[in-house]
DNA sequence: TAGATTGTTAATCGATTAACAATC
DNA sequence: TAGATTGTTAATCGATTAACAATC
């Protein structure tokens, strides 16, 4: 068990801090105060200090934070160097795009296998990896022990495949299947659901409500 | 102006309600109580009743909610039938996948144009639409008046293109560019940032923190 | 040292949950 | 009618913001 002691809102903000600090480092910033960073990010300085202090005192009174050091530290906290071995299931439009477009290495992952149930896709090379048939997942997992799976499959198949993958040792899911995976009674499995359609509908609401109010 | 009176957490939950109700409708449910729905969705019944009552009293005491009717109503609230004319900029891996994979129609959008700065891409057909060169965006907007833009371009180009699109009448952005668009002093523009890399890093954190705690 | 800015505690704000009267 | 379940108000909880003493 042992749920993280850090609250979800804080964790969700970490990648954004990481992103901004990386940018600042590139731009040559050596140090930055919580106030300066808060203005750039559109947060309060208080929140930044509270957030960072969940993990330790990374700043220095009267000086601020060392940009490079803080960037590196947050990367460490996020697990940027974990190299989690990862498989991707479903080499359709979206799956292929995710495989090619996302820099897994930079985010703490290593893409080691791509699978699809369509025999026509088998053998295709995506992002330097040859697509295998889903039938071979079990064998692959036993040999290579991946810990993470990206699901780019229809929602009807998602839960079943996820359950099977858990028995094969998968500990984390990046789920694009328009379905909320349920991993009941199993706190050791982490799931990140990406609901692109939900995101788009939130945008629809924004446009709709603005239009209604003649903004 | 006129910021929505509904809080962001509520709005973000609407698409999920919509999804679950659609599923229930398909499964033949005629009515459902807040308690029953709360169990299926992993929320409290209180929250569901509070959320729905932001928009009106859709239920009936002693009975619950009519599934079909509630589904339809939430769709209406989200603006599922708005048919927002939409252009997509950046026909790379991700852009093409989004264009093909997302059912824009079903979410209140109509994809009417795809643009890329690479002349090699011009003329390619993606999701039934011929890719045009970005140089022609201005002309296109003046003729077709799209209201929404999907940005699948590198982060370095995002802000500049977005600014230009705003002058051409674009009111909403679905932004995949790994960059937080800033539309200052302009409440009439809505932005939905999709940070796939941030999502992946949140997953990295989950795996990392679980591993640390020997879960 | 004086000035700046953190780390941290206390106050506020907002969101979630609980309770219950209204009512189908 | 009696039972069920809503709509809504009140209580609680947690997250954000403000304040300030500690300290570089």
């Amino acid at each position: 068990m042992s749920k993280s002691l850090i609250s979800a809102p804080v964790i969700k903000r970490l990648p954004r801090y990481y992103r901004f600090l990386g940018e600042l480092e590139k731009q040559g910033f050596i140090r930055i105060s919580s106030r300066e960073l808060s203005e750039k990010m559109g947060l309060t300085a208080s929140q930044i200090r509270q957030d960072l202090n969940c993990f330790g005192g990374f700043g220095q009174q009267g000086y601020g934070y060392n940009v490079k050091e803080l960037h590196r530290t947050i990367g460490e906290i996020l697990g940027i160097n974990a190299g989690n071995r990862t498989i991707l299931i479903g080499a359709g439009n979206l799956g292929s795009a995710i495989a090619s477009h996302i820099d897994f290495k930079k985010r703490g992952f290593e893409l080691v296998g791509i699978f699809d149930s369509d025999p026509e896709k088998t053998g295709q090379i995506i992002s330097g990896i040859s697509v295998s048939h889903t039938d071979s997942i079990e064998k692959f997992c036993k040999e290579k022990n991946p810990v993470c799976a990206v699901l780019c499959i229809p929602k009807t198949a998602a839960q079943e495949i996820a359950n099977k993958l858990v028995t094969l040792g998968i500990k984390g899911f990046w789920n694009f299947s328009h379905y909320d995976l349920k991993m009941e009674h199993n706190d050791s499995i982490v799931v990140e659901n990406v609901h692109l359609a939900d995101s788009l509908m939130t945008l629809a609401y924004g446009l709709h409500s603005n239009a209604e109010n003649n903004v």
Side-chain angles (χ1 to χ4, degrees), chain A residues 82-182:
Chain A
N84 297 294
R85 283 181 306 285
T86 300
I87 56 177
L88 184 146
I89 327 280
N93 285 315
L94 189 64
S96 316
I98 296 294
S100 323
H101 180 261
I102 297 286
D103 191 336
F104 284 90
K105 279 258 168 61
K106 258 191 178 167
R107 317 291 171 187
F109 297 84
E110 188 193 355
L111 194 57
V112 294
I114 300 179
F115 300 86
D116 200 288
S117 59
D118 179 356
E120 297 241 330
K121 297 240 169 67
T122 306
Q124 261 184 241
I125 306 289
I126 298 173
S127 193
I129 294 170
S130 173
V131 177
S132 307
H133 194 271
T134 39
D135 288 346
S136 62
I137 291 180
E138 187 158 345
K139 182 160 171 286
F140 184 94
C141 287
K142 281 174 180 163
E143 281 169 13
K144 301 283 175 58
N145 290 304
V147 294
C148 184
V150 184
L151 303 185
C152 299
I153 53 183
K155 62 175 188 286
T156 44
Q159 189 67 56
E160 194 185 346
I161 290 209
N163 290 341
K164 187 186 159 199
L165 288 172
V166 167
T167 69
L168 295 170
I170 297 293
K171 299 292 182 197
F173 291 94
W174 201 23
N175 174 34
F176 288 82
S177 75
H178 291 199
Y179 172 84
D180 296 304
L181 286 181
K182 284 181 269 297

